[in-house]
Amino acid sequence: MKRNPLTILVSAVLAAIFIMLLFVFQVRQSEVALKTLFDKPNATYDKPGAYFKWPWPIEKVYKFDKRIQNFEDKFSQGYTTDNNNVITTTYIGWHISDAGLFFPKFSGSVHIAQNTLEDILRNAQNGVIGQHRLGDLVNTDPKALKFEQIEDEIKQRVQSQLEAHNYGIEVDFLGFKKIELPEAVTQSVFERMKQERQLLISKETYDGLRDATIIKAEADRQASELVANAQASAIRIKGEGEAAAAPTLKTFEQNPDLYIFLLRIDALKQSLGQRATLIFDDRTPPFDLFQSQALKTPGNP
Amino acid sequence: MERNTQKNGLVNLVVGLIIFIAALAATVYVKSFTAQVAVIFLGLSVLVALMGWFQMRLEENERLEKLELDELAHGRGDSTLFAARDSEVFPARRSREQFEKYFVPGFSVLLLVFESAAAWIMWRWAGQPLSGFVPEHSMPALSLFAIFALVLFLVGRFSVTMVRLENSRLLRGSSSFLLAGAYVCMFTAVVIAGVEFKLAWADLWGARILCLLLALIAVEQLLTLLLEIYRPRIKGKIGRPLYDGRLVGLLAQPESLFTTAAQALDYQFGFKVSETWFYQLLQKNLLLLLLVQLAVLALSTCFVFVSPGEEAVLEHFGKRLPDPLLPGAHLKLPWPWDIAYHYQTERIQSLYVGFTPTEGKESRVILWSVPHDQEENFLVGGSQQTGVEKLEGDTNSIVKTPAVGLISVSIPVQYQITNVIDWAYYNSDPTNVLSEVASEQVVRFLAGEDLNQIMSAGRFEGGNYLRDQIQAAADERHLGAKITFVGLQDIHPPTKVAKDYESVIGARQTRLASNLLAQAEAVITNDTAVALAFSTNSAAESAKVQLETSAFARAALFTNQIPAFAAAPSVYKQRIYYQAFAQSTADARKYLLLVTNTHNVLIYNLEESIRSDLLLNNLKVPTPNETKP
């Protein structure tokens, strides 16, 4: 059977490529590689480039990202030294410092490493928080706030644990991503915040009432004072009028009866208004004319 | 020839089985979805090869049986032997017929169920968000699948050629499946290569494509089974085995499409288009054309085009070049020797702290009391302190716990990649690190701030402070990013207490209103008092003037009245009296009682309205007789 040379060529090229892939491996700038000979680690490559290896299963190459990995742990509830509950979540940046140590410890799995690190982190986190007060985490007084110190303490604890047991990883940074209160406490904080606002509402309402009352009372006082002063002034002015008119009294003294009579006449005039109703009998002058003989004409009885 | 076919069938079965087991191991090793579906496909090919080989064995037995009987009959010349029933005389043929009648359809139905179930289950599984793909194992797995593809291709190709030469219908199914399996393995290798080059979605979509292929094969199998029921049975005409799918055959031998296409073109144009030089050239050099295309594709990887606003980092055998590539065209070695990674360095990028933007559901109005986006609450300091009595050892001490509050913040953080080398090589996920750094700084900042302060006067200052802090933290972590903006525009009490905050503002306005109302009333009171005081003074002044002037006028009048009075004292007095009486009573209502008896005094209360019986109509004037005792 005649074989197509093109098919053979393609097959050869493909075979060459795949054989090359079996014998050569590449390490990226961001990677560190561990080569094993029959599953026994025998070389670490942390410089980028292409390297030779015997094909699988003789030699195997495990490549790891040597850059800083980061993850955040689960929300976990802690208890402060002043008996407060806080829920925190922390993020952590770490990198593989020794691939030879890292590989057997975590089967070369970043995921397993992160799970392990998460347990260590949570333990350190809750331990450190337990040694601090809530005021060290939340405080308007900058001197009392120990946020950074707490983070450093957690980081040191994690790092010392990793170093003590040669995990082959190092912690680069660590920080609180979130600090919260438990749900029940959160509701209480909401309630307290509401009551704070209620206090302000009451204060505003009753302060307003007080201010309005003060303003009105002050106005009433001022008005009364003003009117009283005006009335006093009026009396004084009237007195001045009396004093000014006093010299004329000597004139009336010439005939007091006549003057008194005239005063009575004036009083009569002033006291009779339009709505006055007068009842007279026929003896009252000038109505006595009705019974006077003067009205009787001659011839009439 | 027949024996060769059977041997090929056995080779197909053995190779298929070995490759299936090896692929299964490789799949467990790399945990790829696509590889899992590929293994199912390889499993199908093993089943089909087994069935084909078994059927070949039966046919071979039948052929041998027939030869044996022919020789016997020819040697003895006795026909009585052939008078017996077929089932007794030809047990092998009977077995083959029974096998084709019952077992092959049953097997085809099972194959259909298996294909359908596999397509359905794998499609559902591939839809799960988490992939268990082990990137560290991708290169060995890629090599293995490529080798599987090569082996299957060589064996399958040989087998297909044998089928064409010997016209073996039972070998066709396993050969097609083997060749199709080669393409499936190659496809899997390409998918794994895609994942190796950071195309994480490739595995999922690769698996889905293979699931669709499985589903199509199942549909074709179903149609074949249905059509088999109505297929006319012509004696002596041997049908195609039910498990030998046409779709798999087409997939394995796409060149058969040329035959079909050539026939269609010949029919359409009315002459032998398939015999033209162009068609012949195309048919002969198709593989070459594909290779040229591959070469062009490989050549295209020798150029890297960096778009405006981008920078690229070039890695040569994994080692990065010291300087990033700036916008423009650059030459490089072909993939996989040189690989370029592109980054958007000019673009302002955003991340959000404290909320998750709800795309497409943005409200035109953002209010404290109406939930918008998905906001989180942050702990914030309070100026008050709550006293908590606490025993510390043997001493009683009062520990003051600061009052904490909660606040909702929506803080956009905008940034720009300024150092692409730092951005790419210090952190595996720099965007996530920046997001976490920003969150930490926001938490830390709010924890030390007073709720009311940060919501009002401290907002601008807070934004600038946060930007500086996030920048410092990002520099410390070698992120290579510049923080261009941190906004505190949406910072407010949590929605649950927002109404109470608004109520305080309402109460403050009410207070101002009542204050203003009181002031208005005070103005009225004061002005009225001023007016009253003025009028009182004015009245007094006028009374004074009146008193003075009238006193002097009256004195002057009186001086003149004295001589008149002296002249006629009684007349003058009477005149004055009557003049005054007439003048003053002119407008008054008057009742005159003309009675003689004046001892009866009638007293009327005339302050109010006049009683009707006092009116003139009803008032009876007493007569003198009546008044007499």
Side-chain angles (χ1 to χ4, degrees):
Chain A
M1 190 172 65
K2 189 184 173 186
R3 294 191 182 275
N4 188 346
L6 204 54
T7 307
I8 295 168
L9 178 69
V10 170
S11 304
V13 169
L14 286 173
I17 289 171
F18 296 130
I19 287 166
M20 190 191 78
L21 284 173
L22 288 174
F23 281 89
V24 177
F25 68 98
Q26 195 182 81
V27 179
R28 278 191 66 198
Q29 182 88 27
S30 56
E31 290 175 336
V32 56
L34 178 74
K35 193 165 77 174
T36 61
L37 178 64
F38 292 114
D39 289 339
K40 183 184 175 187
N42 66 344
T44 306
Y45 301 88
D46 57 357
K47 296 278 185 283
Y51 300 96
F52 172 81
K53 74 175 179 74
W54 290 107
W56 180 88
I58 301 166
E59 281 192 331
K60 294 181 200 169
V61 173
Y62 299 91
K63 286 190 262 185
F64 310 107
D65 195 334
K66 70 178 178 188
R67 295 175 297 180
I68 297 170
Q69 314 274 340
N70 70 294
F71 72 94
E72 61 183 89
D73 73 338
K74 301 179 187 75
F75 275 97
S76 64
Q77 194 161 347
Y79 198 62
T80 62
T81 187
D82 56 350
N83 308 332
N84 283 299
N85 271 135
V86 283
I87 298 173
T88 50
T89 180
T90 312
Y91 76 96
I92 187 168
W94 61 279
H95 73 272
I96 299 168
S97 56
D98 189 331
L101 292 173
F102 175 83
F103 178 72
K105 290 275 191 312
F106 305 107
S107 307
S109 166
V110 170
H111 184 66
I112 295 172
Q114 287 193 345
N115 285 344
T116 309
L117 194 53
E118 191 173 348
D119 292 338
I120 297 170
L121 172 63
R122 200 175 311 136
N123 179 56
Q125 179 182 295
N126 288 335
V128 171
I129 285 174
Q131 293 177 344
H132 287 270
R133 293 184 293 136
L134 180 62
D136 296 344
L137 284 167
V138 185
N139 208 316
T140 50
D141 179 8
K143 290 176 188 168
L145 202 60
K146 295 175 181 169
F147 213 96
E148 206 164 340
Q149 182 191 328
I150 294 170
E151 288 178 346
D152 285 344
E153 284 175 24
I154 298 170
K155 185 182 165 187
Q156 279 168 15
R157 282 197 179 207
V158 174
Q159 190 59 51
S160 61
Q161 173 71 18
L162 296 176
E163 284 169 2
H165 299 282
N166 292 326
Y167 282 83
I169 57 181
E170 262 178 36
V171 175
D172 294 280
F173 51 81
L174 179 151
F176 285 116
K177 189 175 180 188
K178 201 77 193 288
I179 301 175
E180 288 187 359
L181 298 171
E183 181 58 26
V185 182
T186 301
Q187 293 305 323
S188 303
V189 171
F190 282 149
E191 196 53 40
R192 203 211 68 228
M193 289 174 79
K194 283 182 180 178
Q195 290 309 319
E196 273 180 12
R197 296 295 107 185
Q198 198 56 50
L199 174 67
L200 290 176
I201 291 168
S202 300
K203 186 169 166 49
E204 292 290 344
T205 305
Y206 289 101
D207 281 2
L209 198 61
R210 181 200 63 198
D211 291 348
T213 308
I214 288 172
I215 290 167
K216 283 194 266 190
E218 180 65 17
D220 286 344
R221 187 191 62 75
Q222 286 177 357
S224 300
E225 195 176 307
L226 203 62
V227 170
N229 286 336
Q231 284 173 346
S233 175
I235 291 167
R236 201 163 45 248
I237 290 165
K238 281 180 186 173
E240 286 169 4
E242 289 287 346
T248 62
L249 292 175
K250 285 182 182 173
T251 307
F252 302 122
E253 200 54 40
Q254 292 173 30
N255 193 336
D257 290 340
L258 176 59
Y259 184 64
I260 289 164
F261 174 73
L262 291 172
L263 286 178
R264 289 172 63 196
I265 292 296
D266 283 346
L268 182 68
K269 283 181 186 174
Q270 286 171 16
S271 62
L272 291 174
Q274 279 189 341
R275 293 179 60 84
T277 302
L278 302 170
I279 300 170
F280 300 104
D281 66 8
D282 56 359
R283 287 172 303 177
T284 306
F287 303 111
D288 58 351
L289 284 175
F290 289 115
Q291 62 180 347
S292 170
Q293 293 300 318
L295 291 175
K296 293 181 180 172
T297 55
N300 288 338
Chain B
M1 193 66 83
E2 303 273 338
R3 192 169 292 278
N4 280 343
T5 305
Q6 200 182 127
K7 199 189 293 176
N8 281 337
L10 185 62
V11 168
N12 284 356
L13 175 61
V14 171
V15 170
L17 189 63
I18 291 169
I19 296 292
F20 168 71
I21 292 167
L24 187 64
T27 302
V28 171
Y29 179 64
V30 75
K31 292 185 174 57
S32 157
F33 283 140
T34 310
Q36 286 168 28
V37 190
V39 165
I40 290 171
F41 193 89
L42 293 175
L44 285 175
S45 71
V46 172
L47 289 176
V48 169
L50 179 66
M51 181 58 68
W53 179 72
F54 194 76
Q55 202 170 348
M56 272 185 249
R57 290 275 304 163
L58 289 177
E59 283 194 356
E60 177 65 10
N61 288 343
E62 184 187 354
R63 190 179 67 82
L64 291 174
E65 180 187 68
K66 191 168 183 298
L67 279 175
E68 195 176 336
L69 285 174
D70 283 350
E71 279 178 17
L72 281 173
H74 189 68
R76 292 185 182 179
D78 189 357
S79 61
T80 52
L81 181 66
F82 303 99
R85 288 191 310 169
D86 277 0
S87 57
E88 292 167 0
V89 179
F90 302 109
R93 191 174 77 182
R94 177 72 179 162
S95 299
R96 198 261 306 161
E97 283 173 354
Q98 292 295 316
F99 181 83
E100 285 182 354
K101 192 174 180 183
Y102 299 109
F103 198 82
V104 170
F107 172 77
S108 300
V109 170
L110 278 177
L111 207 61
L112 167 66
V113 171
F114 183 66
E115 286 164 354
S116 309
W120 173 249
I121 291 167
M122 290 309 297
W123 179 274
R124 296 272 313 251
W125 197 5
Q128 288 177 358
L130 289 176
S131 168
F133 196 95
V134 185
E136 293 81 13
H137 299 167
S138 58
M139 285 311 285
L142 188 154
S143 308
L144 286 171
F145 271 97
I147 290 168
F148 300 156
L150 190 62
V151 171
L152 288 175
F153 180 79
L154 293 174
V155 176
R157 194 75 206 168
F158 174 76
S159 193
V160 162
T161 309
M162 289 297 291
V163 168
R164 197 165 57 240
L165 290 174
E166 298 186 7
N167 196 21
S168 171
R169 63 184 181 92
L170 295 179
L171 189 62
R172 187 170 52 209
S174 61
S175 306
S176 298
F177 257 101
L178 278 191
L179 206 51
Y183 299 139
V184 167
C185 283
M186 181 53 74
F187 177 76
T188 307
V190 170
V191 165
I192 293 172
V195 177
E196 172 69 13
F197 290 102
K198 310 300 176 197
L199 301 174
W201 48 267
D203 188 36
L204 181 70
W205 283 102
R208 285 182 171 171
I209 288 168
L210 289 186
C211 284
L212 280 177
L213 180 65
L214 271 180
L216 283 173
I217 292 171
V219 169
E220 195 230 339
Q221 185 71 53
L222 178 68
L223 288 174
T224 307
L225 283 168
L226 289 175
L227 291 173
E228 178 65 16
I229 298 168
Y230 302 103
R231 185 174 67 84
R233 266 71 174 176
I234 301 166
K235 196 167 177 67
K237 183 174 173 61
I238 302 167
R240 188 184 180 116
L242 286 174
Y243 50 84
D244 179 14
R246 286 175 177 78
L247 190 65
V248 176
L250 191 66
L251 186 72
Q253 294 171 278
E255 65 270 18
S256 62
L257 270 178
F258 272 96
T259 312
T260 312
Q263 287 171 357
L265 284 170
D266 292 350
Y267 177 77
Q268 192 68 30
F269 288 93
F271 66 97
K272 293 280 182 185
V273 176
S274 57
E275 289 176 6
T276 59
W277 68 269
F278 179 75
Y279 190 89
Q280 294 291 334
L281 183 73
L282 194 68
Q283 193 172 1
K284 279 180 187 169
N285 299 305
L286 183 67
L287 196 59
L288 187 66
L289 283 174
L290 287 175
L291 275 179
V292 169
Q293 281 191 352
L294 278 175
V296 170
L297 190 67
L299 200 64
S300 70
T301 64
C302 293
F303 300 93
V304 55
F305 295 94
V306 182
S307 304
E310 274 188 355
E311 282 182 27
V313 181
L314 189 64
E315 286 185 2
H316 178 65
F317 279 115
K319 184 178 181 183
R320 73 168 172 81
L321 297 186
D323 296 320
L325 303 179
L326 298 176
H330 304 270
L331 279 173
K332 71 177 186 71
L333 290 176
W335 180 88
W337 286 276
D338 277 6
I339 301 173
Y341 298 90
H342 295 247
Y343 297 92
Q344 299 267 2
T345 50
E346 292 292 326
R347 193 160 67 90
I348 301 291
Q349 302 180 65
S350 297
L351 56 92
Y352 303 96
V353 178
F355 76 109
T356 309
T358 47
E359 294 292 335
K361 292 181 182 174
E362 293 92 351
S363 171
R364 298 294 303 164
V365 182
I366 296 173
L367 301 174
W368 288 8
S369 53
V370 179
H372 44 276
D373 297 318
Q374 291 173 3
E375 292 181 313
E376 300 167 17
N377 293 327
F378 285 80
L379 273 183
V380 67
S383 51
Q384 300 166 347
Q385 287 203 324
T386 53
V388 178
E389 191 170 350
K390 182 180 175 294
L391 293 173
E392 286 185 353
D394 296 328
T395 59
N396 290 337
S397 60
I398 300 295
V399 177
K400 292 285 185 186
T401 300
V404 294
L406 290 164
I407 195 168
S408 293
V409 293
S410 308
I411 302 178
V413 178
Q414 295 175 359
Y415 65 96
Q416 198 178 0
I417 300 169
T418 49
N419 186 334
V420 74
I421 302 293
D422 281 358
W423 180 265
Y425 288 101
Y426 268 97
N427 294 280
S428 63
D429 189 354
T431 309
N432 194 26
V433 172
L434 185 58
S435 170
E436 286 173 337
V437 161
S439 294
E440 182 202 8
Q441 293 304 322
V442 168
V443 167
R444 189 185 287 197
F445 167 69
L446 291 174
E449 285 294 317
D450 179 66
L451 177 65
N452 296 319
Q453 173 70 14
I454 189 62
M455 282 200 305
S456 53
R459 195 179 285 240
F460 270 126
E461 258 182 52
N464 292 335
Y465 174 79
L466 258 181
R467 190 191 60 211
D468 294 343
Q469 290 299 109
I470 295 171
Q471 182 67 67
D475 293 344
E476 194 182 331
R477 285 152 181 71
H478 300 284
L479 282 170
K482 179 187 172 189
I483 309 301
T484 55
F485 172 74
V486 174
L488 287 186
Q489 67 267 32
D490 195 7
I491 181 165
H492 58 82
T495 309
K496 282 188 178 175
V497 293
K499 284 270 184 207
D500 298 277
Y501 272 77
E502 291 172 356
S503 299
V504 173
I505 298 161
R508 194 170 296 147
Q509 293 303 314
T510 308
R511 175 186 175 175
L512 286 173
S514 71
N515 206 321
L516 290 170
L517 184 65
Q519 284 179 11
E521 285 183 19
V523 166
I524 293 168
T525 305
N526 285 340
D527 286 354
T528 308
V530 168
L532 184 62
F534 184 80
S535 67
T536 305
N537 275 335
S538 297
E541 289 286 350
S542 83
K544 176 189 169 188
V545 171
Q546 195 179 3
L547 188 66
E548 274 183 51
T549 51
S550 66
F552 283 104
R554 186 171 287 277
L557 176 65
F558 191 71
T559 305
N560 292 325
Q561 281 176 326
I562 290 171
F565 177 71
S570 62
V571 172
Y572 186 74
K573 283 178 81 172
Q574 288 291 320
R575 191 184 76 182
I576 293 293
Y577 169 74
Y578 287 119
Q579 280 176 344
F581 184 86
Q583 192 180 348
S584 59
T585 62
D587 294 331
R589 185 181 294 173
K590 292 174 279 290
Y591 294 91
L592 185 60
L593 304 176
L594 296 176
V595 294
T596 54
N597 183 4
T598 59
H599 297 289
N600 294 333
V601 177
L602 299 173
I603 298 170
Y604 299 104
N605 183 1
L606 300 171
E607 288 175 1
E608 302 299 329
S609 58
I610 302 297
R611 281 172 51 190
S612 59
D613 57 348
L614 286 177
L615 296 176
L616 287 175
N617 292 343
N618 300 324
L619 189 66
K620 292 170 80 174
V621 179
T623 59
N625 294 334
E626 287 173 346
T627 56
K628 281 180 182 173

